[in-house]
């Protein structure tokens, strides 16, 4: 497979929409860094741009070496790379990368990041904690919902809310935070649609009640393409099988529909005995996928 | 060709559409009449950078079928990348052997995974009867080799497309070329062993089951190889 190996193997265990949408070919297919080079770039202090890129690169190529993890943990406390309004770009990339490496030792420092003054660091940390799947993160995530929907307002002068509610709700759902159900439920009525969908997604994961899956199915009919895309990713993540036809029919890119249907089928198969892998449901999903190629 | 007044006015509606939604509706209406006179307009829509309308136009062109092939092949070289990708998808859907060289190249070399996966599926459903008899076998050999190669693509969805293509090829050549089926089944068995993505392994199992239902033959596809977890391939390109 010479022709194929010239392309860099790309894998992504997270079907997070933002990750997907920002995945460009140019940088991803340019493996100009080596593992040693990336770690060295992350450790040096002269070129902030190189540090920032190296942090992303180590996550992207799943470099799980202790030296890489140590350097990323150090980057989580970085004070040098600052945006004009006080953000910590390097910390954001480091948190995201640590989420991809699958080493749960980094959970406590990521939990600490949930208190970072930079909204985007908190968001990256919440997403990373969701990926790592460690329930010890639940209380700290749950705490960010304090004040409930009342407190979940727009941050004055910024294009975001006071907390990264979408990421928080999604993480609580994935981490099976059953104790947080009462805290999550009111967010089904939040004034931001994506937050409502994140709440529906979490409620489905925590209760298995199809009412919440159906909310996401209805989101596939919204006029806003971004909302439809987001619902596709949510339905794939929760594996809501009755959504299969609606997913195939919604107006969005076939690539996203295929990823969503893949999520549905994988979730369905988790609960099947090996003999029932080719159940009528899984055949139905594959037939839909075939038509979307 | 005499164009009915109705088709003419539907074409005008596409030309005049001044919003994304309006364009989509106009294209859908034009597609619905399945008229050959719509072909140039539908091909033009592929270049508008409007994914919704392009999807509808591709479906319309596939529906019209062979009559669209020469238009598509004629236009495809002068196209920007996005429109080229859509045109390739239309040709893959039509399955006319005149597009064979283009599809063989697209399946293994195109930059976009959505073009590779569509071309892989399309290679499996080429209408062989449209090709002069002496050209069929060499062309089928090329398709088999290409699909076997594409079944090793880096992207899960392209490998999935290759499985669909191989299954169709096996079914199209079952009577004339029994050794094709043998090679395809052997590759499927191998994929059950080494394919990292659950969903691709399950699709292979489905292919094996359906081939067995047709022929009564089977490799060893019944054993459970679908367990385990692989990493998910990442989609790179949008709007396709």
């Amino acid at each position: 497979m010479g022709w194929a190996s010239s392309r860099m193997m790309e894998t992504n265990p997270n079907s997070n929409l933002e990750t997907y949408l920002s995945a460009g070919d140019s940088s991803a297919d340019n493996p100009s860094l080596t593992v040693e080079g990336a770690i060295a770039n992350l450790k040096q202090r002269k070129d902030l741009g190189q540090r920032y890129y190296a942090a992303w690169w180590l996550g992207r190529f799943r470099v799980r070496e202790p030296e890489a993890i140590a350097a990323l943990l150090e980057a989580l406390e970085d004070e040098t790379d600052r945006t004009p309004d006080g953000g910590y770009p390097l910390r954001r990339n480091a948190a995201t990368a640590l989420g991809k490496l699958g080493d749960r030792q980094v959970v406590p420092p990521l939990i600490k990041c949930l208190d970072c003054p930079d909204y985007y660091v908190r968001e990256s940390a919440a997403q990373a904690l969701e990926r790592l799947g460690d329930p010890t993160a639940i209380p700290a995530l749950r705490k960010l919902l304090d004040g409930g929907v009342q407190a979940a307002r727009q941050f004055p002068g910024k294009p975001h809310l006071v907390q990264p509610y979408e990421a928080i709700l999604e993480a609580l759902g994935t981490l099976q935070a059953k104790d947080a159900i009462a805290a999550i439920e009111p967010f089904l009525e939040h004034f931001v649609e994506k937050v409502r969908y994140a709440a529906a997604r979490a409620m489905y994961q925590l209760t298995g009640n199809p009412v919440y899956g159906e909310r996401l199915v209805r989101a596939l009919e919204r006029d806003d393409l971004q909302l439809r895309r987001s619902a596709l990713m949510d339905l794939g993540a929760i594996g809501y099988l009755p959504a299969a036809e609606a997913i195939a029919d919604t107006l969005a890119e076939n690539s996203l529909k295929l990823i969503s249907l893949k999520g549905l089928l994988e979730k369905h198969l988790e609960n099947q005995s090996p003999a029932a892998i080719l159940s009528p449901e899984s055949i139905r999903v594959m037939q839909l996928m075939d038509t979307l190629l | 060709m005499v164009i009915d007044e109705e088709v003419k006015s539907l074409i005008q509606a596409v030309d005049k559409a001044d919003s994304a939604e309006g364009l989509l509706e106009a294209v859908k209406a034009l597609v619905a009449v399945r008229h050959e006179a719509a072909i140039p307009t539908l091909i033009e829509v592929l270049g508008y950078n409007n994914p919704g309308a392009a999807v509808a136009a591709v479906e319309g062109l596939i529906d019209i079928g062979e009559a669209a092939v020469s238009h598509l092949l004629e236009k495809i070289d002068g196209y920007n990348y996005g429109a080229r990708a859509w045109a390739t998808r239309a040709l893959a859907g039509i399955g006319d052997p005149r597009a064979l060289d283009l599809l063989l190249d697209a399946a293994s070399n195109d930059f976009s995974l959505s073009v590779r996966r569509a071309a892989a599926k399309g290679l499996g459903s080429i209408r062989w009867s449209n090709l002069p008899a002496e050209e069929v076998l060499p062309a089928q050999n090329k398709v088999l080799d290409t699909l076997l190669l594409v079944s090793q693509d880096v992207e899960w969805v392209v490998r999935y497309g290759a499985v669909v293509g191989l299954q169709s090829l096996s079914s199209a050549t079952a009577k004339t070329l029994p050794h094709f089926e043998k090679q395809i089944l052997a590759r499927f068995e191998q994929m059950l062993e080494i394919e990292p993505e659950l969903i691709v392994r399950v699709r292979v199992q489905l292919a094996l089951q359906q081939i067995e239902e047709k022929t009564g033959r089977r490799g060893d596809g019944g054993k459970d190889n679908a367990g385990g977890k692989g990493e998910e391939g990442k989609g790179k390109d949008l709007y396709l």
Side-chain angles (χ1 to χ4, degrees):
Chain A
M1 59 189 276
W3 62 273
S5 56
S6 67
R7 280 190 213 109
M8 208 59 194
M9 178 68 89
E10 173 145 14
T11 50
N12 172 27
N14 183 13
S15 51
N16 180 294
L17 179 63
E18 273 64 42
T19 312
Y20 176 82
L21 292 175
S22 62
D25 277 85
S26 49
S27 53
D29 283 351
N30 175 16
S32 54
L33 277 182
T34 60
V35 169
E36 296 71 31
I39 294 172
N41 282 356
L42 184 55
K43 283 178 154 176
Q44 55 86 33
R45 293 288 183 273
K46 285 196 187 108
D47 185 336
L48 293 179
Q50 290 220 0
R51 293 192 80 192
Y52 181 78
Y53 181 75
W56 171 84
W57 195 93
L58 290 168
R60 162 71 170 72
F61 293 105
R62 307 290 189 277
V63 179
R64 298 186 167 89
E65 288 171 28
E67 212 189 341
I69 292 175
L72 287 166
L73 283 173
E74 213 182 310
L76 275 188
E77 317 223 331
D78 172 72
E79 289 289 352
T80 54
D81 192 358
R82 305 294 297 270
T83 62
D85 56 353
Y88 292 93
L90 178 62
R91 292 191 191 189
R92 299 170 193 167
N93 270 12
T96 302
L98 286 168
K100 292 178 181 176
L101 301 185
D103 184 340
R104 289 194 181 183
Q105 285 177 48
V106 307
V107 166
L110 282 173
I111 290 175
K112 224 177 114 198
C113 286
L114 294 176
D115 291 326
C116 180
D118 180 358
Y119 170 95
Y120 297 104
V121 172
R122 299 197 299 279
E123 182 179 50
S124 301
Q127 288 166 344
L129 288 164
E130 178 186 10
R131 278 186 169 206
L132 291 169
D134 189 329
T136 59
I138 291 174
L141 287 161
R142 163 84 178 69
K143 200 166 153 276
L144 297 185
L145 298 184
D146 280 356
V149 182
Q150 293 286 303
R153 290 182 303 264
Q154 199 71 29
F155 192 98
K158 290 284 171 64
H160 56 68
L161 300 170
V162 292
Q163 292 293 352
Y165 291 101
E166 271 181 74
I168 296 162
L169 294 165
E170 289 177 6
L172 288 169
T174 300
L175 298 176
Q176 285 296 308
K178 302 255 196 237
D179 291 347
I181 289 177
I184 292 169
E185 196 179 11
F187 283 86
L188 291 166
E189 309 302 331
H190 192 271
F191 68 92
V192 175
E193 265 178 307
K194 282 192 168 188
V195 172
R196 294 206 291 274
Y197 295 141
R201 165 177 162 161
M203 289 299 288
Y204 182 81
Q205 286 174 310
L206 296 171
T207 67
N209 187 335
V211 151
Y212 303 115
E214 289 304 320
R215 281 181 178 240
L216 293 169
V217 171
R218 286 199 298 279
L220 293 174
E221 292 164 12
R222 297 307 313 270
D223 281 339
D224 181 346
L225 174 63
Q226 295 299 338
L227 288 179
R228 297 196 300 272
R229 284 174 172 165
S230 165
L232 281 174
M233 294 298 101
D234 288 340
L235 286 162
I238 66 175
Y240 184 62
L241 202 59
E245 270 79 13
I247 288 170
D249 286 344
T250 190
L251 274 173
E253 301 82 350
N254 282 6
S255 298
L256 291 183
K257 296 184 193 182
L258 285 161
I259 291 173
S260 182
L261 289 170
K262 175 178 188 269
L264 246 58
L265 187 51
E266 285 173 346
K267 216 37 171 207
H268 171 67
L269 292 174
E270 270 176 23
N271 312 313
Q272 298 294 310
S273 71
I277 280 169
L278 293 181
S279 65
E281 291 81 10
S282 60
I283 292 176
R284 179 170 59 102
V285 174
M286 282 188 274
Q287 281 168 342
L288 290 169
M289 289 180 68
D290 288 3
T291 67
L292 295 167
L293 294 171
Chain B
M1 192 192 315
V2 181
I3 303 180
D4 318 344
E5 285 310 307
E6 193 204 348
V7 183
K8 213 186 229 169
S9 72
L10 289 168
I11 289 172
Q12 279 168 358
V14 172
D15 292 338
K16 280 193 210 143
D18 53 5
S19 70
E21 291 290 307
L23 180 66
L24 175 60
E25 290 312 313
V27 170
K28 279 182 172 170
L30 178 58
V31 158
V33 297
R34 300 177 64 167
H35 198 293
E36 289 184 20
I39 293 170
T41 307
L42 293 176
I43 292 179
E44 226 168 274
V45 170
L46 305 181
Y48 286 178
N49 194 22
N50 177 324
V55 169
V58 165
E59 280 170 14
L61 288 163
I62 292 173
D63 228 22
I64 293 168
E66 283 163 21
V69 173
S70 55
H71 293 265
L72 281 163
L73 288 172
E74 211 170 281
K75 281 285 247 174
I76 208 161
D77 274 334
Y79 258 178
N80 67 49
Y81 177 75
R84 216 183 135 81
W86 287 113
T88 307
R89 292 177 63 80
L91 289 167
I94 295 169
D96 188 287
R98 281 173 286 169
L100 197 53
D101 286 337
L102 189 122
L103 293 178
L104 286 165
D105 183 49
S108 43
N109 297 322
D110 198 280
F111 150 91
S112 153
L113 65 94
S114 62
V115 173
R116 298 203 300 282
R117 74 175 187 239
K121 181 191 175 191
L123 282 174
S125 35
I126 295 289
R127 297 176 187 186
W128 298 111
S129 55
N130 293 8
L131 209 59
E134 71 277 9
E135 290 177 28
V136 171
L137 182 60
Q140 286 176 333
N141 272 315
K142 262 192 224 164
V143 167
L144 176 62
D145 288 348
T146 299
L147 284 177
L148 290 172
L149 189 68
V150 175
S151 71
Q152 306 168 47
D153 194 279
V154 290
E155 299 286 351
W156 70 267
V157 77
V158 180
R159 299 195 298 277
Y160 185 106
V163 172
V164 174
L166 283 167
Q167 182 184 348
S168 311
L169 180 67
S170 160
S171 137
T173 56
K175 288 206 178 95
T176 49
L177 303 166
H179 69 283
F180 268 42
E181 184 178 271
K182 225 171 144 187
Q183 279 192 68
I184 291 168
L185 288 178
R187 174 63 189 148
F188 282 169
E189 296 301 339
Q190 190 187 24
M191 287 179 85
L192 288 180
E193 301 288 338
I194 61 170
E195 167 59 46
E197 279 288 345
L198 171 65
I199 196 147
V200 179
R201 293 197 301 277
V202 176
R203 186 63 187 80
V204 167
Q205 288 199 328
L206 179 62
L208 285 167
Q209 189 191 62
Q210 290 175 337
I211 290 173
E212 184 200 40
E213 277 165 8
K214 262 198 171 149
T215 63
R217 274 190 300 278
R218 167 164 212 153
D220 194 22
K223 68 182 168 187
D224 171 31
N225 264 314
K229 264 204 146 64
E231 278 196 310
E232 175 182 285
K234 182 194 274 186
K236 285 179 190 164
D237 46 346
L238 295 177
Y239 304 128
L240 294 164

